[in-house]
Amino acid sequence: MSKGSYSFTTPIYYVNARPHLGTAYTTVAADTVARYQRMNGYDVAFVTGLDEHGQKIAETAEINNMAPLAWCDSMEPPFREAWDMLNITYTDFVRTTEPRHAKTVQKFWNDLYEKGFLYKGVYEGWYCLPDETSYAESDLEKDEEGTLICPECKRPVQKTSTEENWFFKLSDFQDKLLAFYEENPHFIRPETRRNEIVSFVSRGLKDLSISRSTFDWGVPLPFDEGHVAYVWADALLAYITGIGYGNPDRATEFDAFWPMQYHFVGKDILRFHCVIWPAMLMAAGLPIANTVFAHGFLLTKGEKMSKSKGNALSPADLISVFGVDAYRYYFMSDVQFGNDGSISLERMVQVYNADLANTWGNLCSRVFNMTGKYFEGKVPLAPDFAADNPLKEIADSLYEEYDACLGLVDFTGAVNAVQKLASRVNLYVEDSAPWNLAKKEEDAPALAAVIYNALEAIRIIALFMAPFMPNTSAEVFRRLNLGDITAVTDIETACTWGGLLANNTVETGEALFPRLDVEAIDFSAE
């Protein structure tokens, strides 16, 4: 029986360049949630995709001597290939140039037009092209030369010429948004981001230009020929395209998955998701997603990773050194989701060796080897579960702690809960010294108990590591002859102590995570 629906999104990524560690970070986070909630009994909708319209994309295409659509078509494979490489299990991949999405955009804005939320006016002001964002002069900063710059990306802004646009009455929603934030304190997370948005809205909102008429690379607005949707008035709607908005054949799906549990975004696009997007939904009479979670930036040598700064690393480079699962594990465990995180090759190697090679990988190797040596590669008979067992005590409380952490997208807390059990199993094996128990026939029951308990703990650890490291957990299950771990849809029941049956064949296999030497790694991007 399904527990119900669980739905969320990544940002809809710009196609001005290939995916890098920052885009992969958000996507792996969403996939970790997707994998866990499937194991936890939920029907999952996980929407991602590509933001392919707007002035910035048109100019990028021109620089590359390509038509805009041809450029976008050339950028789809790198994103799909990156997500395949990282084992991302999205349920819909929306390109904003798709006809189905154009229908969403036109239906949505035509509805708001008919409801009186749009009017025609003239826009003149400051515009950040890289971020596709308009600013009042009072919101801008100045560089050392006194040039006005974007408060987010710190690049120069440009004064836009007078242009006739359609405007959304965003200012009408100021009080409604503030009341919504008050009534829904968990809508914006972490708390520091909520304070930022409340302060911004409290200072007053200006109406939002939602169309452009000086270029045509966008979705045409149905009520005024010659106007195309502003890129953010287009891209945000991909979230509902991905679950069937406006499609009669998918009406049941939309009703099941909207509103969503989470929008995962970077903190630099927080205002679009926490001010403009909920106001749009209010105007349309649609519920608002439960939470927008804005994570921090990944920093290399103290700087935000940015394509324009030339320090955006490739996921493939790191995966060639660490493997997919260790890559996923590092970014989800060592960088606290919601905060900025400083990353380096040295730290990645340190975490890999400590957590994966020495703790989790070594535990599997030594216990599987001892099973082969002392029990001919078969799971021994389970001991009396009523007996004192420090591993069972930790395992019995693991689901509750882990589930609470992932419900709050505290990936670091969830990993720490699992590693607490893994470390305790290693200590348990050391203290029990099965190599000594094997020397005396009268200690045979104790030896069987130690090996069984260690194997059973490994089975449970593999279950909870699966959302982070799906390949490794699948391999551990294979070596324990337990079948397909992705078939688990009730992890709470599956992790009940005693689920490992006696006489299952246990395969030793090679080390899951061979130790790495940072000095031996040739990594030119570092």
Side-chain angles (χ1 to χ4, degrees), residues 2 31 178 245 390 409 413 468 484:
S2 169
D31 186 67
L178 291 172
Y245 171 81
V409 291
F468 296 91
D484 182 6

Side-chain angles (χ1 to χ4, degrees), residues 209-224:
S209 168
I210 60 97
S211 77
R212 297 291 185 268
S213 58
T214 55
F215 61 89
D216 62 2
W217 184 238
V219 177
L221 294 181
F223 47 82
D224 194 345

Side-chain angles (χ1 to χ4, degrees), residues 389-402:
N389 183 346
L391 306 186
K392 181 178 182 298
E393 182 180 343
I394 297 174
D396 284 348
S397 63
L398 182 53
Y399 171 80
E400 184 177 0
E401 182 177 358
Y402 183 101

Side-chain angles (χ1 to χ4, degrees), residues 185-229:
H186 299 297
F187 172 61
I188 306 169
R189 293 183 52 217
E191 182 71 17
T192 53
R193 308 293 172 222
R194 180 179 182 277
N195 297 338
E196 172 189 326
I197 292 298
V198 170
S199 175
F200 173 77
V201 175
S202 297
R203 293 197 299 270
L205 294 178
K206 295 183 178 180
D207 292 343
L208 175 72
S209 168
I210 60 97
S211 77
R212 297 291 185 268
S213 58
T214 55
F215 61 89
D216 62 2
W217 184 238
V219 177
L221 294 181
F223 47 82
D224 194 345
E225 185 178 353
H227 284 256
V228 297

Side-chain angles (χ1 to χ4, degrees), residues 28 42 48 51 84 96 106 166 185 207 275 358 386 411 469 485:
V28 169
Y42 287 92
T48 189
D51 182 357
D84 288 346
T96 60
Q106 291 173 337
W166 282 93
D207 292 343
V275 180
N358 293 353
F411 301 112
M469 299 190 290
I485 196 169

Side-chain angles (χ1 to χ4, degrees), residues 122-138:
V122 173
Y123 177 77
E124 186 174 7
W126 296 97
Y127 193 67
C128 174
L129 181 59
D131 287 347
E132 302 247 29
T133 307
S134 299
Y135 288 103
E137 187 165 342
S138 58

Side-chain angles (χ1 to χ4, degrees), residues 206-269:
K206 295 183 178 180
D207 292 343
L208 175 72
S209 168
I210 60 97
S211 77
R212 297 291 185 268
S213 58
T214 55
F215 61 89
D216 62 2
W217 184 238
V219 177
L221 294 181
F223 47 82
D224 194 345
E225 185 178 353
H227 284 256
V228 297
Y230 165 51
V231 63
W232 279 101
D234 168 355
L236 290 164
L237 294 167
Y239 299 146
I240 56 177
T241 296
I243 53 172
Y245 171 81
N247 183 343
D249 295 334
R250 297 179 68 184
T252 301
E253 179 184 353
F254 182 78
D255 291 342
F257 289 115
W258 190 264
M260 291 183 160
Q261 270 72 28
Y262 283 100
H263 293 308
F264 295 121
V265 302
K267 66 180 183 180
D268 53 336
I269 53 175

